[in-house]
Amino acid sequence: MPNLIEDVKKAFGNDVIEIEENYDDVVVRLTKAGYEKAPAILKEQLGFDFLSFIAGVDWMPMPVEAEEGSGDTSQPAQPQEMTFGVTGSASRFQVFSHVQSTSQHVGLTIKVDVDENDMAVSSWTKDYPGADWHERECWEMYGIDFIGHPEIRHLYLPGEFEGHPLRKDFPLLARVVKPWPGLVDVELMPGEGPQAEESE
Amino acid sequence: MTTDSTPMIDIDPRDMHHLAQAQMNVELDTGDMILNMGPQHPATHGTLRLVVRLDGERVLAADPIIGYMHRGYEKLTEYRTYPQITTLINRIDWLSSFANEVPFIHGAEKLMDIEAPDRAQYIRTILTELSRIATFILFLGEMPLQVGAITPAFYGFRDREHVLNLIESATGGRFHPNFNRIGGLKDDLPWGWTGECRRVLDICAKSCDDFERLIVGNEIFQARTRGVGIITPEAGLAYGVSGSNIRASGVDWDLRRDGPDYLSYKDIDFKVWTHPDGDSFSRYWVRLQETRESIKMVRQLLDKLPSGPVMAKVPRIIKVPEGEIWVETENPLGQMGYYIYSKGSTGPFRTKIRSASFSNVSICPWLLQGIYVPDVVTVLASLYFILGDIDR
């Protein structure tokens, strides 16, 4: 693992913003320029031949629908200040991907910040053709464009779908259409509630 | 029909989508035909639609269209607590639900710094391997069905049922056990289960022998599958193909042996089977050998099964500390992984679900080029995907 961190630092030079060991994994945060040349370096120099996934993350806290203590359990209460994961982030959106080496049995997570005013990063499809579907998914779920992708179009959602469902400000429709009953439907424990008092 | 699989027509895979759009090109080129396979096609195990552009019997381009079963699990996980999420992820790959639960629970346990007791780990390993056996035995029966052999499918369903009954008697659910808890298992194994398990393993071993005699040595089956749908190791890995599919291309890579330690695989001996050919036949052969290997593994685990509790001490309300983690396991269909971001709440902040079939099927446009229409079905069957695992 320490070797891998050194190798990555050497291969990417100044493009490494932060690199950290995280459980059985190494997480590296690259600049946009670094992310663009990453697939070639990862594949040819470092021997990461297997692409596991590419995905996006929205660091904005989820808008809270109900007040604390109101009995609304429709979603787990998340902290309201914006905090970023292991290697930090300079913007709301990030793209992260995972590559692995099938011969050396190591993995590497690559992160890149995506500026809200310039929602685009370069595509990895040239070196990892499997990136195609992952990038299409990320595009429709977060609205992050991938420059150089052969044809970016909807993967899961119907072609006329509007909005980006995995963004935190996109509401979960099921919870909007029918309000979550929350604690109302919780059965009372024996000996609790008005009936128990009456019988006494 | 010939089984020559070398692509006669050379097409850049990037131009494929344009070719697939029939309506636009139809007046330019009248020689090609668009064939719409699915969403309801027996070979697609669910609702996978495949738009293939044909020149005679040969496939020029194939474009899988997915999303008919998209249930938005990644969004739903943000609205659920950790114990609730196991119910969701049970339904990703419904043939081996138990194996799906393991990586997620394992990730949450690692973040919470809890370790499940030894006995729980062993039982988890046993049930994971049993779901692998159940999944593969169905495959061993179902793939010949696509080649035209009807009988093996019934054998497959019949013998799988024994394993499912076994899983049901331990967990209460045939397909969706929901048996894992953070810190261990819901229950211990029922009385007499291990003896019954050994009996079922013998049935499964016999079943494997039957399939070997019936299918693997069968001339028609070999003629239809040998040299068809060849995945080269480089292409397969770059597309993210994993599991038995990539081991059938000669890549000696199994997360049970090579990945970070999980469950009790370090305590048992097993062989990782590979096949150098990478064609449909080798994918069948590798899965057959892996089923046998799993049977041996479960026998070893039953011999070594330690006694003790099946649940560690966990807080009543499960709050996972802030952090992020990548967990991956070798599922029956390939590499299953979760990237969990936690912000110290009762539910994850974001979960990326990396499912095996998604990447295994994304190779289709590349793989199906240049093969014949009847072979499309056998190649799809040999890749062995579950639609829930593609669409999540």
Side-chain angles (χ1 to χ4, degrees), chain B residues 53-206:
Chain B
R53 189 171 167 84
L54 303 173
D55 177 18
E57 282 261 302
R58 210 173 264 277
V59 176
L60 286 184
D63 188 18
I65 295 172
I66 60 171
Y68 292 96
M69 258 194 72
H70 185 233
R71 296 151 291 178
Y73 279 169
E74 284 179 20
K75 184 83 178 172
L76 287 177
T77 55
E78 292 169 12
Y79 286 79
R80 301 279 197 280
T81 59
Y82 286 93
Q84 287 172 335
I85 289 169
T86 32
T87 324
L88 290 180
I89 57 184
N90 258 301
R91 281 143 182 90
I92 293 176
D93 162 14
W94 50 71
L95 287 185
S96 51
S97 311
F98 191 89
N100 283 322
E101 291 174 21
V102 170
F104 184 79
I105 293 290
H106 192 57
E109 279 173 358
K110 265 178 146 179
L111 280 171
M112 291 177 78
D113 205 11
I114 293 174
E115 204 164 319
D118 262 1
R119 187 175 170 84
Q121 298 282 23
Y122 265 76
I123 296 173
R124 277 181 189 175
T125 322
I126 290 173
L127 288 170
T128 307
E129 288 309 313
L130 281 180
S131 39
R132 192 185 310 272
I133 294 169
T135 313
F136 282 177
I137 284 191
L138 182 64
F139 166 80
L140 295 174
E142 209 173 357
M143 192 193 153
L145 183 68
Q146 319 295 353
V147 188
I150 306 290
T151 323
F154 299 114
Y155 290 164
F157 276 105
R158 182 195 66 190
D159 294 334
R160 182 186 70 144
E161 204 55 37
H162 294 293
V163 187
L164 289 182
N165 285 341
L166 204 59
I167 294 174
E168 186 186 10
S169 63
T171 66
R174 280 172 79 236
F175 278 106
H176 305 304
N178 203 11
F179 194 55
N180 276 296
R181 298 288 182 270
I182 291 174
L185 295 169
K186 178 169 152 259
D187 269 321
D188 206 336
L189 293 173
W191 186 253
W193 191 85
T194 49
E196 178 66 13
C197 185
R198 282 177 208 274
R199 193 183 70 82
V200 169
L201 290 178
D202 290 339
I203 296 174
C204 294
K206 193 181 158 291

Side-chain angles (χ1 to χ4, degrees), chain B residues 223-244:
Chain B
R224 287 294 304 277
T225 53
R226 284 235 161 166
V228 174
I230 295 174
I231 300 179
T232 59
E234 297 79 28
L237 288 170
Y239 270 101
V241 175
S242 53
S244 321

Side-chain angles (χ1 to χ4, degrees), chain A residues 24 56 100 151 168 170, chain B residues 17 75 110 328 335 349-350:
Chain A
D24 296 316
Q100 271 163 295
E151 190 182 1
K168 291 283 178 185
F170 190 97
Chain B
H17 305 310
K75 184 83 178 172
K110 265 178 146 179
E328 54 184 357
Q335 183 204 41
F349 179 74
R350 159 106 170 90

Side-chain angles (χ1 to χ4, degrees), chain B residues 12 17 142 149 176-177 180 188 216 219 267 275 294 335 390:
Chain B
D12 188 353
H17 305 310
E142 209 173 357
H176 305 304
N180 276 296
D188 206 336
V216 174
E219 250 175 74
D267 299 349
H275 197 286
S294 289
Q335 183 204 41
I390 302 174

